Amino acid sequence: NMDEIARAAEVSKLTVYNHFSDKETLFKAVIAAKCAEFAPSDSLPGLENDEPRAALTRIGNDFMRLMVRPEVVAMHRVIPAEAASNPKIALLFFEAGPQPMLKTFTALLEAWLTRGKLDIPEPRRAADHFYSMLKGMLQFKLMMNIDKPPPEAELKRHVADCVDMFMRAYAVRRNKA
């Protein structure tokens, strides 16, 4: 509750309410800040002039570093449990983190499509596929407490494999005459 939040932040409840009108607004701000800390979605459009493989690798590495953080894994465990009794919490989470990330990544893919750097029939679906492929069993095992976060080298290898698959699916095919 807001009293506990104020106590943890060592401020008054009034101060919390001056910054955040309610718990939902606070929750969205926390999720958005955590996402921006590791993979600021507003920087993705700046990558439209970069080569897709290098940019996708950077995006993938940033994303996976975020997904294996203990607090992020914990949040991915708590959200579904809380959503059973409060379905709005899952929607708030989606609106604060995954939705803006997917939107800006889709815009980046659309820019690469327009510039002829990739051949993506459905950029929104491709964005979903990319992030789903990255998370895959790796994050599932973390959420289920089956495994521990892999070393950085293994994360990078995982991302490189995902980027390779993505590029094989969406690279521009040049016909040799």
Side-chain angles (χ1 to χ4, degrees):
N1 66 37
M2 293 298 256
D3 288 320
E4 292 171 359
I5 292 167
R7 203 170 20 261
E10 298 179 348
V11 298
S12 73
K13 188 173 170 181
L14 180 61
T15 300
V16 175
Y17 274 112
N18 282 338
H19 285 60
F20 307 100
S21 57
D22 53 32
K23 283 191 286 188
E24 290 177 3
T25 306
L26 173 62
F27 180 75
K28 285 176 85 168
V30 168
I31 300 303
K34 184 53 69 177
C35 290
E37 183 180 337
F38 292 93
S41 60
D42 60 347
S43 70
L44 294 183
L47 298 174
E48 60 194 24
N49 293 319
D50 291 6
E51 284 307 308
R53 180 177 295 279
L56 290 168
T57 299
R58 179 178 150 211
I59 292 164
N61 284 328
D62 288 347
F63 179 73
M64 288 310 297
R65 279 189 210 101
L66 176 65
M67 289 296 103
V68 301
R69 290 186 59 89
E71 66 269 27
V72 172
V73 172
M75 186 173 36
H76 279 91
R77 288 179 183 139
V78 169
I79 298 293
E82 289 295 321
S85 61
N86 182 1
K88 193 167 186 181
I89 199 103
L91 181 60
L92 289 171
F93 171 75
F94 182 74
E95 289 173 345
Q99 186 176 47
M101 179 189 67
L102 282 171
K103 182 179 177 185
T104 55
F105 186 64
T106 299
L108 176 61
L109 295 179
E110 288 169 345
W112 284 335
L113 174 63
T114 299
R115 291 167 187 218
K117 292 184 174 194
L118 291 178
D119 183 14
I120 305 175
E122 297 181 66
R124 172 60 180 85
R125 288 177 59 89
D128 182 47
H129 293 157
F130 183 69
Y131 284 113
S132 295
M133 188 170 31
L134 287 168
K135 286 172 59 174
M137 279 296 135
L138 195 152
Q139 195 209 24
F140 177 78
K141 287 179 180 179
L142 293 175
M143 285 179 45
M144 296 296 131
N145 221 9
I146 294 170
D147 217 343
K148 295 188 182 331
E152 180 76 13
E154 182 54 33
L155 269 183
K156 286 183 175 183
R157 181 176 176 211
H158 171 73
V159 169
D161 290 345
C162 293
V163 169
D164 284 346
M165 284 187 267
F166 192 87
M167 292 301 296
R168 279 195 300 274
Y170 298 118
V172 174
R173 309 287 188 255
R174 308 260 190 250
N175 290 334
K176 292 185 178 183

